[in-house]
């Protein structure tokens, strides 16, 4: 896969950077919580006008026809500016799950609404015991004559505050299903959760919520695969955000080191700090390469390769972002711990991001289980195990 940007991709990247530079300077971002809902609505409409909500949606249904690579270009710029709008939860995770699960009639109905920003849909899949992974699913969908009745909870729903609808994963009998639930449904309680990095998520409580038969997205047999598809695209976008955050954190730190004078010279001239900054840049570039590997896997479409790349990328990039942003705070000294200094906010976002879509430890466990299964089911000589060991090592 060629990762050199063509003219259209460069325009997309530059457009996103122009937006963040005009609307998301650090002082602008700090003012947003005073009227966060109004700012989110205004910015969401702007996202739609600029075509960002439609970028990776099918062209046949009014989307832009792009791929996950275009999504990562936008997410990268949003990560640099610590954008608060729920692009990840609504425009990527929920939208791609709908694309993978929906029937042609459902896509014809929902995709134009998503692309135009008229309807904001959030993906409600995470539960307390799943820890950000797609399974297990405990939310029950009891079959009724005309549909389903839902009982249970979902948590950490990104973009859930202010969403018009939810794509909800549930279990009907023993079969996973995806249901489109209106936010105003009787029996549905939506509770806002303040995240450590300034964003909001939602907790959903379903107490006998009725979902009509037409709320079922696609075929039940394809529900789990569609959910994994949406989460894989979400992981790519989240990791692109983290790479953008590391990039910007290194820039801010380098500027600070060149401006901070100690012992009669800018501390950026000290060799120990130069080496440390170089190590941070190396971690960032390794993360960027791992992100490219995930995007390439998504483009190839092999499910096993995609899930392997998802776990490896989330594990490596999540840890690298916390390391790079944490070191950036240390190189700032005490001022890096204050709310007035932007660098601490990058570390907060990195810590929250590691808990989303499965932590680094959770994904390491997934790869370890897969490696153990491979060893148990295959008769391999010791030298044939080396590639498997190296693959697991790369994800650690």
């Amino acid at each position: 896969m060629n990762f050199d940007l063509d003219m259209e991709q460069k325009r997309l990247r530059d457009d996103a950077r122009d937006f963040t530079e005009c609307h998301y300077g650090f002082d602008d971002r700090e003012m947003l919580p005073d009227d966060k809902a109004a700012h989110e609505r205004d910015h969401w409409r702007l996202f739609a006008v600029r075509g960002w909500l439609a970028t990776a949606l099918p062209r046949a249904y009014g989307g832009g026809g792009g791929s996950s690579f275009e999504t990562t270009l936008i997410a990268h710029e949003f990560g640099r500016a610590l954008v608060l709008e729920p692009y990840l939860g609504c425009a990527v995770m929920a939208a791609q799950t709908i694309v993978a699960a929906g029937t042609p009639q459902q896509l014809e109905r929902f995709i134009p609404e998503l692309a135009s920003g008229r309807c904001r849909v959030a993906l409600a899949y995470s539960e307390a015991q799943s820890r950000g992974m797609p399974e297990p699913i405990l939310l029950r969908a009891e079959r009724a004559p005309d549909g389903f009745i839902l009982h249970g909870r979902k948590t950490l729903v990104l973009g859930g505050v202010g969403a018009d609808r939810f794509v909800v994963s549930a279990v009907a009998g023993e079969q996973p299903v995806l249901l489109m639930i209106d936010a105003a449904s009787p029996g549905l309680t939506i509770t806002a959760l303040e995240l450590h990095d300034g964003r909001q998520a939602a907790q959903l409580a379903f107490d006998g919520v009725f979902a009509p038969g037409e709320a079922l997205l696609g075929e039940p047999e394809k529900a789990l695969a569609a959910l994994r598809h949406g989460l894989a695209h979400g992981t790519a976008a989240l990791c692109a955000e983290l790479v953008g955050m590391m990039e910007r954190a290194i820039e801010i730190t380098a500027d600070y080191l060149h401006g901070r004078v100690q012992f009669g010279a800018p501390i950026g001239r000290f060799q120990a700090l130069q080496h440390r900054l170089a190590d941070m840049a190396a971690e960032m570039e390794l993360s960027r390469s791992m992100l490219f590997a995930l995007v390439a896997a998504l483009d190839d479409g092999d499910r096993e390769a995609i899930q392997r790349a998802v776990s490896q990328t989330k594990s490596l990039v999540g840890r690298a972002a916390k390391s790079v942003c944490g070191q950036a705070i240390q190189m700032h000294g005490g001022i890096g711990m204050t709310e007035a200094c932007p660098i601490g906010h990058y570390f907060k976002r990195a810590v929250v991001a590691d808990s989303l879509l499965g932590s680094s430890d959770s994904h390491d466990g997934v790869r370890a289980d897969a490696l153990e299964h491979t060893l148990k089911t295959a008769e391999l000589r010791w030298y044939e195990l080396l590639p498997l060991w190296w693959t697991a090592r790369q994800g650690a």
Side-chain angles (χ1 to χ4, degrees), residues 99-144:
V99 167
T103 64
Q105 294 77 15
Q106 290 171 330
L107 296 183
E108 189 172 353
R109 174 187 174 188
F110 293 127
I111 295 301
E113 292 184 342
L114 298 176
S116 65
R118 296 195 307 269
C119 179
R120 207 170 83 183
V121 181
L123 177 62
Y125 83 97
S126 181
E127 301 182 17
Q129 69 285 341
S130 69
R131 299 182 181 274
M133 307 299 280
E135 296 182 283
I137 304 171
L138 297 186
L139 181 72
R140 292 179 291 113
E142 299 174 354
R143 295 190 182 275

Side-chain angles (χ1 to χ4, degrees), residues 251-263:
E251 293 172 0
I252 293 172
T253 304
D255 289 342
Y256 177 78
L257 296 182
H258 285 102
R260 175 78 166 90
V261 176
Q262 190 71 26
F263 306 112

Side-chain angles (χ1 to χ4, degrees), residues 96-334:
Q96 289 300 321
T97 302
I98 292 172
V99 167
T103 64
Q105 294 77 15
Q106 290 171 330
L107 296 183
E108 189 172 353
R109 174 187 174 188
F110 293 127
I111 295 301
E113 292 184 342
L114 298 176
S116 65
R118 296 195 307 269
C119 179
R120 207 170 83 183
V121 181
L123 177 62
Y125 83 97
S126 181
E127 301 182 17
Q129 69 285 341
S130 69
R131 299 182 181 274
M133 307 299 280
E135 296 182 283
I137 304 171
L138 297 186
L139 181 72
R140 292 179 291 113
E142 299 174 354
R143 295 190 182 275
D146 299 322
F148 302 88
I149 298 177
L150 305 183
H151 296 274
R153 294 178 178 272
K154 295 291 182 180
T155 188
L156 278 179
V157 181
L158 299 179
V161 178
D164 302 297
R165 298 192 184 104
F166 298 97
V167 175
V168 179
S169 62
V171 174
E174 296 183 357
Q175 177 68 59
V177 295
L178 293 173
L179 301 166
M180 185 71 80
I181 305 298
D182 195 287
S185 298
L188 174 59
T189 302
I190 304 172
T191 305
L193 301 174
E194 293 290 338
L195 301 182
H196 191 51
D197 61 354
R199 291 180 296 177
Q200 283 187 326
Q203 179 172 293
L204 309 184
F206 297 84
D207 185 11
V209 174
F210 175 73
E214 58 267 23
L216 181 67
L217 278 176
E219 302 173 11
E221 295 77 14
K222 299 179 180 179
L224 192 56
L227 178 58
R228 292 187 183 278
H229 174 89
L231 296 183
H233 280 259
T235 301
L238 179 61
C239 290
E241 282 189 17
L242 293 175
V243 172
M245 287 165 46
M246 286 187 272
E247 186 177 278
R248 184 59 185 143
I250 291 172
E251 293 172 0
I252 293 172
T253 304
D255 289 342
Y256 177 78
L257 296 182
H258 285 102
R260 175 78 166 90
V261 176
Q262 190 71 26
F263 306 112
I267 62 175
R269 295 183 184 176
F270 299 163
Q271 193 173 58
L273 296 182
Q274 292 176 354
H275 289 175
R276 196 168 182 179
L277 201 64
D279 289 341
M280 293 161 62
E283 283 196 81
M284 177 192 69
E285 292 302 335
L286 179 60
S287 298
R288 195 192 309 273
S289 297
M290 198 69 228
L291 172 62
F292 286 165
L294 174 55
V295 173
L298 289 171
D299 188 60
D300 290 340
D302 182 83
R303 289 185 179 180
E304 184 177 347
I306 289 172
Q307 292 309 310
R308 181 169 60 249
V310 163
S311 291
Q312 292 173 337
T313 305
K314 183 58 166 64
S315 175
L316 188 147
V317 178
R319 285 195 173 97
K322 289 193 294 184
S323 172
V324 168
C325 296
Q327 291 187 69
I329 290 179
Q330 293 182 22
M331 295 172 76
H332 274 75

